Amino acid sequence: TQRDQWEFWVGAIPGYTDTDAGGGKSGWDIAAPNIGIEYYYNIVEPTAPWGSPDYVTFWTSPTLMIEFPNGNHDTQGYGAGYNRYAYSFSIANYLQIGKFGVTFTPVGIYYAEKNRNTTDMGEGDPKHLRGGVSVWLGDIAAGYLVTDKLWLGVHHVYNINNRTASDFEESREGKIGPSMTYTGWSKQGVFVSANLNFDYYHTDNLPYSNSLTMALVKSF
């Protein structure tokens, strides 16, 4: 790595929804096809060997992502509601002292444009619904290097959904839970991470939910 560097990516989020029991649509689909750019800058460069008690480093990385319409005209099932453009911006930070590390994003902002297909809300007047502005706060993953290749820790995030300029009711939720990162395949440019998040707070218009998020990243 260098003191400053750029990262570019192309991605999407495939998934499966099973809603047969509720009369909805089941099946595989894709949400949020996207491109992104992230700039990394090493504000505090380490002077001691990696993982030693005197090792200290601090990075900051502004990130911009653009999502594209996924072509899904359904109102239910996985990928529904993603047939629109959306944009997000955040500044992530990373601090490591010895074997303790923390990634923290104080605030991030997300804006979703109007859906390209219409939705009938039961009023006989189909509309192009807009997600509007959402923000996330206190996105923190703190962990300890238990082996040379495995980080274990905890993750937290607080979401404020559809805060303004939105056709949907605002909702809020706070989630916290264990996290891990495995770097055993770093020589091949492969990294694995996961968060198991428990819903410790949510507004009345959201159901209680737990979530498992996993990422398999391949660098070229």
Side-chain angles (χ1 to χ4, degrees):
T1 59
Q2 306 176 69
R3 187 171 191 184
D4 68 319
Q5 52 198 303
W6 294 88
E7 178 180 322
F8 304 90
W9 75 84
V10 176
I13 308 174
Y16 178 82
T17 297
D18 182 4
T19 57
D20 282 342
K25 179 181 178 180
S26 296
W28 289 91
D29 213 314
I30 291 177
N34 62 81
I35 60 173
I37 180 172
E38 186 169 1
Y39 175 70
Y40 294 86
Y41 185 72
N42 194 188
I43 296 175
V44 177
E45 295 184 283
T47 58
W50 185 84
S52 66
D54 296 327
Y55 180 89
V56 178
T57 189
F58 178 67
W59 291 78
T60 189
S61 54
T63 304
L64 175 66
M65 184 173 70
I66 301 175
E67 294 179 2
F68 296 88
N70 67 346
N72 187 328
H73 294 265
D74 297 320
T75 58
Q76 299 181 54
Y78 191 87
Y82 282 88
N83 195 23
R84 80 290 184 270
Y85 288 92
Y87 319 91
S88 68
F89 179 75
S90 62
I91 300 178
N93 305 276
Y94 176 71
L95 172 67
Q96 183 177 339
I97 302 175
K99 293 187 176 183
F100 172 80
V102 56
T103 298
F104 56 98
T105 302
V107 61
I109 187 168
Y110 181 89
Y111 175 75
E113 292 187 2
K114 288 186 176 182
N115 206 295
R116 302 183 76 181
N117 56 280
T118 59
T119 302
D120 189 345
M121 303 300 291
E123 301 172 352
D125 182 20
K127 297 180 179 180
H128 295 273
L129 299 178
R130 179 171 58 185
V133 176
S134 299
V135 297
W136 66 94
L137 307 170
D139 188 0
I140 302 170
Y144 186 80
L145 188 63
V146 295
T147 74
D148 288 342
K149 301 175 182 179
L150 179 64
W151 291 87
L152 295 179
V154 63
H155 174 254
H156 169 271
V157 66
Y158 186 87
N159 297 313
I160 304 177
N161 308 307
N162 313 117
R163 177 64 182 86
T164 187
S166 175
D167 293 315
F168 300 92
E169 183 181 1
E170 177 185 322
S171 61
R172 302 186 178 207
E173 61 179 351
K175 289 181 175 291
I176 193 169
S179 65
M180 61 79 66
T181 296
Y182 180 71
T183 62
W185 302 307
S186 59
K187 290 184 178 180
Q188 291 75 38
V190 177
F191 301 88
V192 180
S193 62
N195 300 318
L196 178 59
N197 290 319
F198 298 94
D199 189 347
Y200 70 85
Y201 170 79
H202 61 91
T203 49
D204 292 339
N205 56 343
L206 282 181
Y208 175 84
S209 66
N210 299 322
S211 59
L212 173 63
T213 303
M214 301 185 68
L216 175 64
V217 178
K218 167 62 178 175
S219 298
F220 298 93

